Amino acid sequence: MNRPPGALLSNLLIVTSPGETYIPTASLTLGVIGHVNHGKTALVRAMTGIETDRLPEEQARGLSITPGFAWRGYPSGEIDVIDSPGHEDFIRAMVAGMTGVRAVLLVVSATEGFGRQTREHLQIAALLGLRVGLVAVTKADLASPDLQAERRADMQATLAGTFLAGAPVVFCSALTGQGLDQLHAAIDALRSTAPPPTALPGAFLPIDRAFTVPGAGVVVTGVLQGQPLTPDMRMVLEPSGRSVSLRQVQVHGRTVEAAPPGGRVAVGLRGVTLDEVRAGDVLCSPGHFTATSQVDVRLTLDAGAPRPLKHLDQVRFMWGARQDVASVRLMGAGVIKPGADDFAQLRFASPVIAYAGQRGVLRRLSPAATIGGVIVLDPDPPVYRGRPGLRRAVLEAATTGDIQEIAGQLAARDGGTLAMAELTRLGRCDAPAAQLNLALDYQDLGDGRFAARDALAAARTAYLDLLAAAHRATPTRRMAAVGDIRGAFARHTARDIISAVERALAAEGAIRLDAGRVALNGHDPLATLSPGALSQLDDLEVALREGGLTPPDPASLTGGDPGLADLLQLLVEDGRAISLRNVSLRQTLVFHPVSLDEAVATLGSAFPPPLAFTTGEARAALGTSRKFIVPVLEYLDEMGRTTREGDVRRVVEA
């Protein structure tokens, strides 16, 4: 029987014998596919000693309805065997059974040859990315040598052009044992040619069965992908987001300390009831996979599809151990013709869970038929809103798997920056590997953001050029508005890059930043003024000084001359004048700083601390009007020269 003593034929979770230690090898999962009644289940039973038809209805009808599971040890290691239903009514179960499969055993009856479901199963296997396998021609004991030769020629002709072209073809009989040794040898050899398990940043277990076992609680099973599973791990059930922990992990009916990816596992769960988990859910590592309502894919329409696939068509999407109805948003033309492929976004009515690189099968809703396949490129994309340009470029890069290419397209889309989370999701790698790959060409900006070094260099040059141009345009202004400089190239450059460049320039002393203003460190507007302008500047300062606490209005002081207005602003920026605002009158007032210092001295003499004074008393003491006294006192409060307590103030002792 080739299974441990006491293992249940149904592959339920069981308790390992006391003291028994089982260290599983990384399994190869073999999918057994083919037309109904071609002998798949009998062949698996003869190969493994395990009856995969576990349901009473299956045993009564002699017909597989759900995937059956078995396993066998080989010289190269253990191989899991998944017996897929062959009837056309159970395509969903067949696709679910192919989850995690890395090689196929195509079963064809020697007495009947290729059937309709033989071809559809082969088509589905190809759409799911299978590239390795072999062919078992069953019931060979019922076929004469001439018929066997005819079937072999038929196999070669039919499989030409498929991924099984040139694959081993073994004639065998589950009844007599004919050819089983040759079949086992061919299966054992598959391990060296099959691709490795899918590389993912965390564990990903599509659940194909959920049930309860006395003493073990809720148990789920499936083919493990990504990373190993160990008891007591914290995991998440998606797409519900429910947190659970692992009570026990078993492989082939035996408790293990770690289950490697690539084979079937059974897992006992804590923190969940059977009503809260179902086939089609995914048990996965927290923080690595996100439930979403849309995925971006590369969609291939089969050459034999009866008609083109149109934008907004509804399809049935079978992937992992689940199926969903999806709306197709095409990103190129409004239609995909049979035999063609294109990028699309699949939109779902409720959240789903996927990973980049996952494959699935598309079927028409009615009449039901397999029409194509997809490969998921982005399992958590933004909602597609009909602007394909840069999005197509990003997805095209994702199909290559080249981290540098993907990073370049993300940076081109986002003004020179990229998010590490999106890069690792599209590139199917972890953050340390991606960062190592980007080290030469990208700079870490913090918070998971990276910027292209050439984009940073270009932004630095642009920032300095724009600031120099601003100084030339307004030579009398000591500083320019930061918002004007940033906004001048924000359309084409990410804000993260502008901020990083600005911080770097300030840190190295190339620019000065002050309260929303910026200037080149060497900029001196006084050096650009003519002797006449310098004289006008002095005249403005004298006028303010002579005005004391009743200075002339800026408009009357400059006479509407833009040049004089710029000179007055320069006095303010140099600290040779103070600009205050009378909010109630909506007026800007300009004072000489000496006048404000003298005001403090006058108030201190008239109301020596701790004496208090009102606004009216201050106005009388300073000989000014309400227009000026309110902004003056508010300024003195702000500078800490006076303090206000309700309706009175006091001068602060020096």
Side-chain angles (χ1 to χ4, degrees):
M1 298 288 284
N2 197 18
R3 64 179 188 273
L8 303 184
L9 295 183
S10 57
N11 294 336
L12 301 185
L13 192 78
I14 64 170
V15 179
T16 305
S17 302
E20 181 180 356
T21 300
Y22 175 50
I23 302 176
T25 59
S27 288
L28 170 67
T29 303
L30 178 71
V32 181
I33 60 176
H35 195 77
V36 63
N37 291 329
H38 276 212
K40 296 187 301 300
T41 301
L43 180 61
V44 170
R45 186 190 311 116
M47 289 166 48
T48 67
I50 296 175
E51 175 58 67
T52 58
D53 278 351
R54 57 188 175 81
L55 300 179
E57 182 181 357
E58 291 177 314
Q59 296 172 1
R61 295 173 61 184
L63 178 72
S64 297
I65 298 173
T66 63
F69 309 111
W71 67 277
R72 191 182 195 280
Y74 285 88
S76 64
E78 293 166 341
I79 292 182
D80 282 303
V81 180
I82 299 182
D83 177 17
S84 298
H87 197 282
E88 62 180 339
D89 291 342
F90 306 123
I91 288 295
R92 175 186 177 183
M94 179 266 174
V95 175
M98 295 295 285
T99 300
V101 163
R102 291 183 284 133
V104 296
L105 174 60
L106 179 66
V107 175
V108 182
S109 168
T111 59
E112 298 181 38
F114 266 76
R116 176 181 173 185
Q117 295 311 118
T118 312
R119 291 176 169 82
E120 186 171 16
H121 280 203
L122 187 60
Q123 174 195 13
I124 289 173
L127 292 172
L128 291 174
L130 274 298
R131 297 293 180 265
V132 174
L134 70 157
V135 181
V137 183
T138 57
K139 305 180 184 180
D141 56 310
L142 302 179
S144 66
D146 289 343
L147 181 57
Q148 290 191 24
E150 180 182 336
R151 291 286 181 244
R152 186 179 296 277
D154 184 43
M155 294 292 144
Q156 294 173 347
T158 304
L159 295 175
T162 74
F163 73 92
L164 287 181
V169 177
V170 180
F171 283 77
C172 55
S173 170
L175 181 64
T176 67
Q178 172 188 342
L180 289 186
D181 288 343
Q182 184 183 356
L183 182 62
H184 284 309
I187 291 174
D188 191 31
L190 286 177
R191 184 181 292 275
S192 63
T193 57
T198 302
L200 298 174
F204 191 93
L205 180 68
I207 297 171
D208 52 40
R209 295 177 62 200
F211 46 86
T212 57
V213 172
V218 176
V219 177
V220 297
T221 65
V223 176
L224 177 61
Q225 301 171 52
Q227 301 297 318
L229 282 182
T230 59
D232 297 322
M233 287 178 70
R234 296 297 303 177
M235 300 288 282
V236 178
L237 277 172
E238 294 288 6
S240 68
R242 183 176 298 277
S243 179
V244 298
S245 62
L246 308 191
R247 181 195 303 270
Q248 189 180 16
V249 179
Q250 285 202 352
V251 174
H252 301 152
R254 291 174 286 191
T255 300
V256 297
E257 295 182 0
R264 289 192 58 77
V265 299
V267 184
L269 302 181
R270 295 189 187 95
V272 68
T273 66
L274 186 59
D275 292 337
E276 295 168 330
V277 59
R278 60 180 182 177
D281 288 349
V282 174
L283 183 69
C284 56
S285 302
H288 294 294
F289 308 96
T290 304
T292 180
S293 294
Q294 61 273 337
V295 295
D296 283 354
V297 302
R298 184 123 199 176
L299 189 155
T300 301
L301 194 62
D302 190 76
R307 63 180 178 86
L309 185 67
K310 298 179 181 179
H311 183 64
L312 300 182
D313 271 355
Q314 298 280 314
V315 295
R316 191 174 306 282
F317 185 37
M318 296 181 175
W319 51 337
R322 64 181 294 140
Q323 67 168 353
D324 297 277
V325 174
S327 174
V328 180
R329 264 67 172 179
L330 298 179
M331 294 186 185
V335 65
I336 300 179
K337 295 180 179 180
D341 60 60
D342 204 350
F343 298 114
Q345 183 167 98
L346 299 183
R347 200 83 56 83
F348 303 94
S350 57
V352 298
I353 188 76
Y355 61 83
Q358 187 171 2
R359 291 179 179 267
V361 175
L362 290 182
R363 286 174 64 82
R364 291 279 183 199
L365 296 180
S366 180
T370 300
I371 59 171
V374 306
I375 178 170
V376 176
L377 300 177
D378 190 345
D380 186 24
V383 174
Y384 175 63
R385 301 193 184 279
R387 296 185 294 273
L390 291 174
R391 186 60 187 166
R392 286 180 61 86
V394 169
L395 296 178
E396 192 71 60
T399 62
T400 70
D402 187 304
I403 292 296
Q404 284 284 351
E405 178 66 18
I406 298 170
Q409 292 299 336
L410 291 175
R413 183 195 69 187
D414 293 340
T417 65
L418 59 89
M420 179 56 63
E422 185 175 13
L423 177 64
T424 55
R425 188 175 72 239
L426 293 171
R428 312 174 200 176
C429 63
D430 58 21
Q435 290 180 29
L436 183 63
N437 204 300
L438 299 182
L440 292 178
D441 299 319
Y442 291 82
Q443 179 177 315
D444 189 349
L445 301 180
D447 295 326
R449 303 288 298 179
F450 285 74
R453 296 187 188 278
D454 57 356
L456 286 166
R460 174 191 173 91
T461 299
Y463 196 104
L464 294 174
D465 288 347
L466 288 166
L467 190 50
H471 289 331
R472 289 193 300 271
T474 55
T476 58
R477 296 287 178 88
R478 187 164 292 280
M479 306 188 84
V482 168
D484 291 344
I485 303 302
R486 295 172 180 170
F489 64 114
R491 284 187 178 182
H492 309 291
T493 305
R495 292 181 179 179
D496 289 345
I497 287 185
I498 297 173
S499 297
V501 164
E502 199 171 72
R503 290 193 301 269
L505 290 173
E508 65 192 50
I511 62 173
R512 303 190 311 276
L513 289 167
D514 178 29
R517 300 181 302 161
V518 62
L520 292 171
N521 204 30
H523 175 60
D524 181 9
L526 295 176
T528 68
L529 297 182
S530 66
L534 288 172
S535 177
Q536 289 177 315
L537 192 70
D538 292 338
D539 291 343
L540 289 172
E541 184 176 8
V542 169
L544 290 175
R545 179 70 184 90
E546 291 175 348
L549 293 181
T550 56
D553 291 338
S556 63
L557 190 62
T558 61
D561 184 339
L564 289 177
D566 287 345
L567 291 175
L568 182 60
Q569 179 62 32
L570 180 56
L571 285 177
V572 173
E573 292 178 352
D574 273 0
R576 293 161 65 182
I578 306 295
S579 178
L580 303 179
R581 184 73 176 168
N582 187 315
V583 177
S584 62
L585 297 179
R586 299 180 181 179
Q587 290 181 330
T588 297
L589 308 172
V590 182
F591 297 83
H592 197 281
V594 172
S595 301
L596 297 174
D597 290 339
E598 291 174 346
V600 176
T602 300
L603 290 173
S605 298
F607 310 101
L611 290 181
F613 55 89
T614 64
T615 299
E617 290 171 335
R619 184 179 69 244
L622 296 175
T624 187
S625 67
R626 187 169 183 82
K627 169 183 174 180
F628 298 104
I629 193 61
V630 172
V632 166
L633 291 177
E634 289 176 346
Y635 171 76
L636 296 179
D637 292 342
E638 183 182 351
M639 300 306 293
R641 309 291 292 275
T642 58
T643 59
R644 180 176 179 177
E645 300 173 5
D647 293 333
V648 300
R649 288 178 170 83
R650 292 181 175 82
V651 174
V652 176
E653 294 185 77

